[in-house]
Amino acid sequence: MELRRSRLPLAIVVAAAAAVAATLVLRPRSGLVEPAAVEVTDYFSAAELERARDFREPQRLIALAGLAVSGGTLALLALRPPRRLLEPLGRRPLLGGAAAGAGISIVLVAANLPLAAVSHERSVDVGLSTQDWGPWLGDVAKAAGVEAVFAAGGGALALALMRRFRRNWWAPMAACAVAVGVVTLWLFPVVVDPLFNDFERLPDGKLRSDTLALAREARVDVGEVYRVDASRRTTAANAYVGGLGPTKRVVLFDNLIEGFPPEQVRSVVAHELAHQKHRDIWRGIAWLALVAPAGTFLAQRLTERIRGTAGGPDKPGPGALPALALSLALVGFALGSASNVLSRQVEGRADAFSLRLTGDPAAHIDLERRLARVNVSDPDPPALLHALFGTHPTTVERIGIGEAWARSAAR
Protein backbone atom coordinates (compact mmCIF):
# COMPACT_ATOMS: atom_id res chain seq x y z
CA MET A 1 0.00 0.00 0.00
CA GLU A 2 2.80 2.43 0.86
CA LEU A 3 4.46 1.69 -2.47
CA ARG A 4 1.23 2.48 -4.29
CA ARG A 5 0.82 5.71 -2.38
CA SER A 6 4.36 6.75 -3.24
CA ARG A 7 3.61 6.47 -6.94
CA LEU A 8 1.53 9.65 -7.06
CA PRO A 9 4.23 12.02 -5.70
CA LEU A 10 6.72 10.35 -8.03
CA ALA A 11 4.38 10.87 -10.98
CA ILE A 12 4.00 14.56 -10.09
CA VAL A 13 7.77 15.01 -9.99
CA VAL A 14 8.22 13.18 -13.29
CA ALA A 15 5.53 15.28 -15.02
CA ALA A 16 7.00 18.54 -13.72
CA ALA A 17 10.51 17.51 -14.79
CA ALA A 18 9.26 16.52 -18.25
CA ALA A 19 7.51 19.88 -18.73
CA VAL A 20 10.60 21.83 -17.67
CA ALA A 21 12.91 19.72 -19.82
CA ALA A 22 10.68 19.96 -22.90
CA THR A 23 10.46 23.74 -22.55
CA LEU A 24 14.23 24.07 -22.18
CA VAL A 25 14.95 21.77 -25.12
CA LEU A 26 12.46 23.45 -27.47
CA ARG A 27 12.83 27.09 -26.44
CA PRO A 28 14.06 29.53 -29.11
CA ARG A 29 17.79 29.97 -28.77
CA SER A 30 18.16 32.96 -31.07
CA GLY A 31 16.14 35.68 -32.69
CA LEU A 32 14.64 37.04 -29.47
CA VAL A 33 14.56 40.72 -28.54
CA GLU A 34 14.54 41.70 -24.89
CA PRO A 35 11.62 44.12 -24.44
CA ALA A 36 12.46 47.67 -23.47
CA ALA A 37 10.86 48.92 -20.27
CA VAL A 38 7.90 51.07 -21.25
CA GLU A 39 5.08 52.73 -19.33
CA VAL A 40 1.58 51.67 -20.29
CA THR A 41 0.32 55.23 -19.78
CA ASP A 42 2.65 56.46 -22.54
CA TYR A 43 0.66 54.43 -25.11
CA PHE A 44 -2.88 54.30 -23.75
CA SER A 45 -5.10 57.01 -22.32
CA ALA A 46 -6.63 56.72 -18.86
CA ALA A 47 -10.05 56.23 -20.47
CA GLU A 48 -8.76 53.38 -22.66
CA LEU A 49 -7.14 51.63 -19.71
CA GLU A 50 -10.26 52.03 -17.59
CA ARG A 51 -12.50 50.65 -20.35
CA ALA A 52 -10.23 47.62 -20.83
CA ARG A 53 -10.01 46.85 -17.13
CA ASP A 54 -13.72 47.42 -16.52
CA PHE A 55 -14.39 44.77 -19.16
CA ARG A 56 -11.52 42.34 -18.66
CA GLU A 57 -11.43 42.09 -14.86
CA PRO A 58 -14.99 40.70 -14.57
CA GLN A 59 -14.36 38.52 -17.65
CA ARG A 60 -11.35 37.00 -15.89
CA LEU A 61 -13.45 36.32 -12.81
CA ILE A 62 -16.10 34.67 -14.99
CA ALA A 63 -13.42 32.51 -16.65
CA LEU A 64 -11.99 31.48 -13.28
CA ALA A 65 -15.49 30.70 -12.05
CA GLY A 66 -15.96 28.56 -15.16
CA LEU A 67 -12.83 26.59 -14.29
CA ALA A 68 -14.15 26.12 -10.76
CA VAL A 69 -17.54 24.97 -12.05
CA SER A 70 -15.94 22.51 -14.47
CA GLY A 71 -13.57 21.20 -11.82
CA GLY A 72 -16.33 20.92 -9.24
CA THR A 73 -18.63 19.14 -11.69
CA LEU A 74 -15.94 16.63 -12.62
CA ALA A 75 -15.05 16.11 -8.97
CA LEU A 76 -18.69 15.44 -8.12
CA LEU A 77 -19.02 12.97 -11.01
CA ALA A 78 -15.74 11.26 -10.05
CA LEU A 79 -16.31 11.02 -6.30
CA ARG A 80 -20.04 10.34 -6.46
CA PRO A 81 -20.58 8.81 -9.91
CA PRO A 82 -24.21 8.37 -11.03
CA ARG A 83 -24.11 4.56 -10.82
CA ARG A 84 -27.69 4.08 -11.99
CA LEU A 85 -26.74 5.72 -15.28
CA LEU A 86 -23.26 4.28 -15.62
CA GLU A 87 -23.76 0.66 -14.59
CA PRO A 88 -26.08 -0.26 -17.51
CA LEU A 89 -23.47 1.13 -19.89
CA GLY A 90 -21.05 -1.53 -18.67
CA ARG A 91 -22.93 -4.25 -20.53
CA ARG A 92 -21.25 -3.06 -23.73
CA PRO A 93 -18.15 -1.33 -22.35
CA LEU A 94 -16.82 0.43 -25.43
CA LEU A 95 -20.19 1.77 -26.56
CA GLY A 96 -20.84 2.60 -22.93
CA GLY A 97 -17.52 4.42 -22.76
CA ALA A 98 -18.47 6.48 -25.81
CA ALA A 99 -21.83 7.34 -24.25
CA ALA A 100 -20.24 8.24 -20.92
CA GLY A 101 -17.60 10.41 -22.60
CA ALA A 102 -20.21 12.30 -24.60
CA GLY A 103 -22.40 12.63 -21.53
CA ILE A 104 -19.61 14.11 -19.42
CA SER A 105 -18.87 16.61 -22.20
CA ILE A 106 -22.51 17.71 -22.47
CA VAL A 107 -22.86 18.00 -18.68
CA LEU A 108 -19.84 20.32 -18.56
CA VAL A 109 -21.28 22.52 -21.32
CA ALA A 110 -24.62 22.72 -19.50
CA ALA A 111 -22.97 23.50 -16.16
CA ASN A 112 -21.02 26.40 -17.67
CA LEU A 113 -23.81 27.75 -19.88
CA PRO A 114 -25.02 30.43 -17.39
CA LEU A 115 -21.50 31.83 -16.98
CA ALA A 116 -20.93 31.68 -20.74
CA ALA A 117 -24.17 33.61 -21.29
CA VAL A 118 -23.09 36.33 -18.84
CA SER A 119 -19.72 36.59 -20.57
CA HIS A 120 -21.40 36.84 -23.97
CA GLU A 121 -23.82 39.54 -22.79
CA ARG A 122 -20.93 41.61 -21.43
CA SER A 123 -19.11 41.21 -24.78
CA VAL A 124 -22.21 42.48 -26.60
CA ASP A 125 -22.51 45.43 -24.22
CA VAL A 126 -18.91 46.50 -24.83
CA GLY A 127 -19.28 46.11 -28.61
CA LEU A 128 -16.93 43.15 -28.94
CA SER A 129 -19.55 40.54 -29.88
CA THR A 130 -21.85 41.08 -32.86
CA GLN A 131 -24.02 38.00 -32.27
CA ASP A 132 -27.62 37.96 -31.12
CA TRP A 133 -28.72 35.21 -28.75
CA GLY A 134 -29.97 32.92 -31.51
CA PRO A 135 -26.72 32.71 -33.51
CA TRP A 136 -24.70 32.57 -30.30
CA LEU A 137 -26.71 29.63 -28.97
CA GLY A 138 -26.37 27.98 -32.38
CA ASP A 139 -22.59 28.21 -32.14
CA VAL A 140 -22.68 26.90 -28.57
CA ALA A 141 -24.75 23.92 -29.74
CA LYS A 142 -22.42 23.19 -32.67
CA ALA A 143 -19.35 23.43 -30.43
CA ALA A 144 -21.01 21.16 -27.87
CA GLY A 145 -21.79 18.65 -30.61
CA VAL A 146 -18.21 18.63 -31.89
CA GLU A 147 -16.85 18.28 -28.36
CA ALA A 148 -19.30 15.45 -27.62
CA VAL A 149 -18.18 13.54 -30.73
CA PHE A 150 -14.53 13.83 -29.73
CA ALA A 151 -15.34 12.99 -26.11
CA ALA A 152 -17.25 9.89 -27.25
CA GLY A 153 -14.30 8.71 -29.31
CA GLY A 154 -11.92 9.55 -26.50
CA GLY A 155 -14.07 7.75 -23.93
CA ALA A 156 -14.25 4.57 -26.00
CA LEU A 157 -10.52 4.64 -26.80
CA ALA A 158 -9.51 5.37 -23.20
CA LEU A 159 -11.67 2.57 -21.84
CA ALA A 160 -10.30 0.13 -24.42
CA LEU A 161 -6.74 0.98 -23.36
CA MET A 162 -7.56 0.80 -19.66
CA ARG A 163 -9.10 -2.66 -20.09
CA ARG A 164 -6.36 -4.00 -22.35
CA PHE A 165 -3.34 -2.60 -20.48
CA ARG A 166 -4.41 -2.87 -16.87
CA ARG A 167 -1.28 -1.62 -15.10
CA ASN A 168 0.39 0.53 -17.75
CA TRP A 169 -2.35 2.03 -19.90
CA TRP A 170 -0.63 5.39 -19.63
CA ALA A 171 1.97 4.36 -22.26
CA PRO A 172 -0.37 3.62 -25.19
CA MET A 173 -2.56 6.55 -24.12
CA ALA A 174 0.45 8.88 -24.50
CA ALA A 175 1.05 7.60 -28.03
CA CYS A 176 -2.64 8.06 -28.87
CA ALA A 177 -2.58 11.62 -27.49
CA VAL A 178 0.24 12.59 -29.85
CA ALA A 179 -1.41 10.86 -32.80
CA VAL A 180 -4.74 12.57 -32.12
CA GLY A 181 -2.93 15.92 -31.80
CA VAL A 182 -1.35 15.52 -35.25
CA VAL A 183 -4.57 14.35 -36.90
CA THR A 184 -6.66 17.18 -35.43
CA LEU A 185 -4.14 19.81 -36.51
CA TRP A 186 -4.27 18.35 -40.01
CA LEU A 187 -8.04 17.94 -40.29
CA PHE A 188 -9.53 20.80 -38.23
CA PRO A 189 -8.95 23.50 -40.87
CA VAL A 190 -10.95 21.57 -43.48
CA VAL A 191 -13.44 19.61 -41.34
CA VAL A 192 -14.28 21.52 -38.15
CA ASP A 193 -13.43 25.19 -38.75
CA PRO A 194 -15.83 25.52 -41.74
CA LEU A 195 -18.70 24.52 -39.45
CA PHE A 196 -18.35 27.88 -37.73
CA ASN A 197 -17.02 30.28 -40.36
CA ASP A 198 -16.71 30.75 -44.09
CA PHE A 199 -13.16 30.67 -45.43
CA GLU A 200 -12.24 31.99 -48.85
CA ARG A 201 -8.93 32.07 -50.62
CA LEU A 202 -7.55 35.58 -50.44
CA PRO A 203 -8.49 37.05 -53.83
CA ASP A 204 -5.92 38.29 -56.30
CA GLY A 205 -4.96 41.84 -55.53
CA LYS A 206 -2.47 43.95 -53.64
CA LEU A 207 -2.86 42.21 -50.27
CA ARG A 208 -2.38 38.75 -51.75
CA SER A 209 0.59 39.80 -53.88
CA ASP A 210 2.17 41.63 -50.93
CA THR A 211 1.66 38.59 -48.71
CA LEU A 212 3.24 36.21 -51.22
CA ALA A 213 6.10 38.64 -51.84
CA LEU A 214 6.73 38.84 -48.10
CA ALA A 215 6.70 35.05 -47.91
CA ARG A 216 9.26 34.83 -50.72
CA GLU A 217 11.45 37.38 -48.95
CA ALA A 218 11.21 35.32 -45.76
CA ARG A 219 11.84 32.09 -47.73
CA VAL A 220 8.68 30.57 -46.35
CA ASP A 221 6.30 28.14 -48.02
CA VAL A 222 3.13 29.83 -46.82
CA GLY A 223 0.76 27.16 -48.11
CA GLU A 224 -2.42 29.14 -48.78
CA VAL A 225 -3.75 32.46 -47.47
CA TYR A 226 -7.40 32.67 -46.42
CA ARG A 227 -9.82 35.34 -45.33
CA VAL A 228 -12.34 34.32 -42.64
CA ASP A 229 -15.65 36.07 -41.93
CA ALA A 230 -14.89 36.66 -38.26
CA SER A 231 -17.09 39.78 -38.31
CA ARG A 232 -20.19 37.57 -38.21
CA ARG A 233 -19.55 37.11 -34.49
CA THR A 234 -16.99 39.70 -33.31
CA THR A 235 -15.39 43.07 -33.93
CA ALA A 236 -12.03 41.68 -32.74
CA ALA A 237 -9.13 41.44 -35.18
CA ASN A 238 -6.69 38.58 -35.38
CA ALA A 239 -4.77 36.17 -37.61
CA TYR A 240 -3.33 32.71 -37.18
CA VAL A 241 -1.49 29.87 -38.86
CA GLY A 242 -2.90 26.35 -38.88
CA GLY A 243 -2.95 23.02 -40.62
CA LEU A 244 -0.28 20.56 -41.64
CA GLY A 245 0.92 19.52 -45.09
CA PRO A 246 -1.83 20.15 -47.64
CA THR A 247 -4.01 21.96 -45.08
CA LYS A 248 -1.26 24.44 -44.08
CA ARG A 249 -2.52 28.01 -44.22
CA VAL A 250 -2.38 31.57 -42.95
CA VAL A 251 -5.81 32.91 -41.99
CA LEU A 252 -6.60 36.62 -41.71
CA PHE A 253 -9.73 37.98 -40.04
CA ASP A 254 -11.84 40.14 -42.32
CA ASN A 255 -11.90 42.73 -39.50
CA LEU A 256 -8.12 42.94 -39.74
CA ILE A 257 -8.08 43.26 -43.52
CA GLU A 258 -10.77 45.93 -43.65
CA GLY A 259 -10.10 47.86 -40.45
CA PHE A 260 -6.31 48.18 -40.24
CA PRO A 261 -3.81 50.14 -42.35
CA PRO A 262 -1.80 48.09 -44.90
CA GLU A 263 1.48 48.48 -43.02
CA GLN A 264 -0.10 47.04 -39.86
CA VAL A 265 -1.64 44.13 -41.76
CA ARG A 266 1.81 43.53 -43.26
CA SER A 267 3.24 43.39 -39.74
CA VAL A 268 0.65 40.76 -38.77
CA VAL A 269 1.38 38.69 -41.87
CA ALA A 270 5.12 38.82 -41.15
CA HIS A 271 4.45 37.60 -37.60
CA GLU A 272 2.45 34.63 -38.89
CA LEU A 273 5.12 33.85 -41.48
CA ALA A 274 7.58 33.59 -38.60
CA HIS A 275 5.59 30.66 -37.22
CA GLN A 276 5.83 28.94 -40.59
CA LYS A 277 9.53 29.79 -40.91
CA HIS A 278 10.39 28.29 -37.54
CA ARG A 279 7.94 25.37 -37.83
CA ASP A 280 6.26 26.35 -34.60
CA ILE A 281 3.31 24.01 -35.13
CA TRP A 282 5.74 21.10 -35.21
CA ARG A 283 7.47 22.57 -32.17
CA GLY A 284 4.15 22.32 -30.33
CA ILE A 285 3.73 18.70 -31.44
CA ALA A 286 7.27 17.94 -30.27
CA TRP A 287 6.47 19.46 -26.86
CA LEU A 288 3.39 17.27 -26.62
CA ALA A 289 5.38 14.18 -27.59
CA LEU A 290 7.99 14.87 -24.91
CA VAL A 291 5.48 15.60 -22.16
CA ALA A 292 2.62 13.21 -22.97
CA PRO A 293 4.16 10.07 -21.41
CA ALA A 294 4.76 11.78 -18.07
CA GLY A 295 1.35 13.47 -18.27
CA THR A 296 -0.56 10.26 -18.88
CA PHE A 297 1.54 8.47 -16.24
CA LEU A 298 0.40 11.10 -13.74
CA ALA A 299 -3.18 10.86 -15.02
CA GLN A 300 -3.18 7.10 -14.40
CA ARG A 301 -1.90 7.53 -10.85
CA LEU A 302 -4.48 10.22 -10.11
CA THR A 303 -7.26 8.11 -11.60
CA GLU A 304 -6.23 5.14 -9.46
CA ARG A 305 -6.09 7.29 -6.34
CA ILE A 306 -9.54 8.76 -6.98
CA ARG A 307 -11.06 5.36 -7.73
CA GLY A 308 -9.15 3.59 -4.96
CA THR A 309 -7.66 1.06 -7.38
CA ALA A 310 -4.21 0.28 -8.69
CA GLY A 311 -4.51 -2.11 -11.61
CA GLY A 312 -6.55 -4.70 -9.75
CA PRO A 313 -8.09 -7.77 -11.36
CA ASP A 314 -11.38 -6.16 -12.32
CA LYS A 315 -11.63 -4.56 -15.74
CA PRO A 316 -12.81 -0.96 -15.53
CA GLY A 317 -16.11 0.02 -17.07
CA PRO A 318 -17.64 3.37 -18.04
CA GLY A 319 -17.82 4.25 -14.34
CA ALA A 320 -14.05 4.83 -14.43
CA LEU A 321 -14.31 7.66 -16.95
CA PRO A 322 -15.38 10.48 -14.58
CA ALA A 323 -12.24 9.86 -12.49
CA LEU A 324 -10.13 9.79 -15.66
CA ALA A 325 -11.76 12.99 -16.94
CA LEU A 326 -11.03 14.78 -13.65
CA SER A 327 -7.43 13.53 -13.69
CA LEU A 328 -6.86 14.61 -17.29
CA ALA A 329 -8.38 18.03 -16.54
CA LEU A 330 -6.03 18.57 -13.58
CA VAL A 331 -2.98 17.36 -15.48
CA GLY A 332 -3.99 19.31 -18.58
CA PHE A 333 -4.35 22.54 -16.60
CA ALA A 334 -0.93 22.16 -14.99
CA LEU A 335 0.87 21.16 -18.17
CA GLY A 336 -1.01 23.80 -20.18
CA SER A 337 0.31 26.50 -17.86
CA ALA A 338 3.81 25.09 -18.35
CA SER A 339 3.44 25.05 -22.14
CA ASN A 340 2.48 28.73 -22.05
CA VAL A 341 6.04 29.54 -21.00
CA LEU A 342 7.28 28.13 -24.31
CA SER A 343 4.42 29.74 -26.23
CA ARG A 344 5.27 33.22 -24.95
CA GLN A 345 8.88 32.79 -26.05
CA VAL A 346 7.82 31.54 -29.47
CA GLU A 347 5.44 34.47 -29.92
CA GLY A 348 8.10 36.92 -28.80
CA ARG A 349 10.49 35.55 -31.42
CA ALA A 350 7.76 35.87 -34.06
CA ASP A 351 7.42 39.55 -33.18
CA ALA A 352 11.18 40.01 -33.52
CA PHE A 353 11.16 38.18 -36.88
CA SER A 354 8.33 40.42 -38.09
CA LEU A 355 10.34 43.51 -37.18
CA ARG A 356 13.40 42.26 -39.05
CA LEU A 357 11.33 41.31 -42.08
CA THR A 358 9.33 44.55 -42.34
CA GLY A 359 11.86 46.95 -40.83
CA ASP A 360 8.89 48.97 -39.52
CA PRO A 361 8.82 49.22 -35.71
CA ALA A 362 6.33 52.10 -35.85
CA ALA A 363 3.78 49.87 -37.60
CA HIS A 364 4.41 47.11 -35.04
CA ILE A 365 3.87 49.45 -32.09
CA ASP A 366 0.79 51.08 -33.62
CA LEU A 367 -0.59 47.61 -34.42
CA GLU A 368 -0.28 46.47 -30.80
CA ARG A 369 -1.98 49.63 -29.57
CA ARG A 370 -4.79 49.29 -32.08
CA LEU A 371 -5.30 45.58 -31.39
CA ALA A 372 -5.60 46.26 -27.67
CA ARG A 373 -8.21 48.95 -28.26
CA VAL A 374 -10.24 46.97 -30.80
CA ASN A 375 -10.11 43.73 -28.80
CA VAL A 376 -10.73 45.56 -25.51
CA SER A 377 -7.63 43.87 -24.09
CA ASP A 378 -5.83 44.72 -20.87
CA PRO A 379 -2.38 45.81 -22.07
CA ASP A 380 -0.77 45.00 -18.72
CA PRO A 381 -2.69 42.15 -17.02
CA PRO A 382 -1.92 40.79 -13.53
CA ALA A 383 1.40 38.95 -13.56
CA LEU A 384 0.17 35.73 -11.93
CA LEU A 385 -2.80 35.33 -14.25
CA HIS A 386 -0.61 36.08 -17.25
CA ALA A 387 1.94 33.49 -16.11
CA LEU A 388 -0.78 30.84 -15.81
CA PHE A 389 -2.89 31.62 -18.86
CA GLY A 390 -0.99 33.97 -21.17
CA THR A 391 0.05 32.45 -24.49
CA HIS A 392 1.60 35.68 -25.84
CA PRO A 393 3.71 38.42 -24.31
CA THR A 394 1.56 41.20 -22.87
CA THR A 395 0.76 44.17 -25.08
CA VAL A 396 3.19 46.28 -23.04
CA GLU A 397 5.93 43.69 -23.58
CA ARG A 398 5.21 43.53 -27.31
CA ILE A 399 5.39 47.31 -27.56
CA GLY A 400 8.66 47.05 -25.62
CA ILE A 401 9.99 44.59 -28.21
CA GLY A 402 9.22 47.13 -30.94
CA GLU A 403 10.87 49.97 -29.01
CA ALA A 404 13.95 47.87 -28.27
CA TRP A 405 14.30 46.89 -31.94
CA ALA A 406 13.89 50.52 -33.05
CA ARG A 407 16.58 51.72 -30.64
CA SER A 408 18.94 48.96 -31.76
CA ALA A 409 18.35 49.73 -35.44
CA ALA A 410 18.97 53.45 -34.84
CA ARG A 411 22.46 52.87 -33.45
Side-chain angles (χ1 to χ4, degrees), residues 111-385:
N112 276 287
L113 188 58
L115 288 171
V118 173
S119 179
H120 169 67
E121 180 65 18
R122 297 191 76 255
S123 295
V124 171
D125 290 343
V126 82
L128 189 59
S129 175
T130 59
Q131 283 189 301
D132 293 331
W133 284 107
W136 180 78
L137 287 171
D139 277 352
V140 170
K142 284 191 289 186
V146 171
E147 290 168 7
V149 169
F150 277 90
L157 177 60
L159 199 56
L161 296 176
M162 293 171 75
R163 291 169 67 85
R164 173 64 178 82
F165 304 95
R166 289 291 295 118
R167 295 186 181 276
N168 298 300
W169 50 261
W170 61 269
M173 188 172 288
C176 289
V178 177
V180 169
V182 172
V183 170
T184 54
L185 282 170
W186 173 45
L187 287 180
F188 260 54
V190 294
V191 175
V192 175
D193 291 350
L195 297 175
F196 298 90
N197 287 99
D198 291 330
F199 294 79
E200 63 174 352
R201 177 180 172 274
L202 200 63
D204 292 336
K206 181 172 174 51
L207 178 56
R208 181 177 180 83
S209 61
D210 286 350
T211 298
L212 296 179
L214 204 60
R216 286 192 296 271
E217 185 178 347
R219 298 181 180 178
V220 171
D221 176 13
V222 72
E224 188 52 87
V225 185
Y226 286 89
R227 167 194 174 112
V228 60
D229 63 336
S231 59
R232 65 174 290 271
R233 65 166 56 89
T234 183
T235 59
N238 205 348
Y240 63 90
V241 295
L244 292 172
T247 67
K248 182 169 64 174
R249 62 196 52 202
V250 172
V251 179
L252 306 177
F253 280 27
D254 56 351
N255 297 332
L256 176 73
I257 295 171
E258 296 168 4
F260 284 63
E263 66 273 13
Q264 293 179 21
V265 176
R266 190 168 188 265
S267 182
V268 172
V269 170
H271 175 100
E272 301 306 329
L273 291 176
H275 291 309
Q276 298 280 29
K277 176 76 172 181
H278 296 115
R279 300 180 180 178
D280 288 332
I281 290 178
W282 285 106
R283 185 183 303 272
I285 293 171
W287 195 93
L288 175 62
L290 291 172
V291 172
T296 53
F297 179 68
L298 176 55
Q300 177 169 346
R301 299 306 176 220
L302 279 171
T303 302
E304 291 172 345
R305 179 65 63 87
I306 293 168
R307 296 184 63 225
T309 65
D314 61 311
K315 289 188 176 182
L321 291 182
L324 175 61
L326 175 60
S327 300
L328 289 175
L330 293 172
V331 173
F333 174 78
L335 294 182
S337 296
S339 73
N340 288 340
V341 175
L342 178 62
S343 177
R344 289 191 291 270
Q345 295 176 345
V346 166
E347 295 294 342
R349 180 175 63 177
D351 280 349
F353 181 91
S354 172
L355 286 162
R356 287 191 294 272
L357 187 59
T358 64
D360 193 349
H364 170 87
I365 293 168
D366 289 343
L367 168 69
E368 296 304 326
R369 296 172 70 184
R370 190 180 185 94
L371 283 172
R373 294 187 188 109
V374 169
N375 298 345
V376 201
S377 301
D378 186 347
D380 192 18
L384 177 59
L385 291 178

Side-chain angles (χ1 to χ4, degrees), residues 11-23:
I12 292 172
V13 171
V14 169
V20 171
T23 300

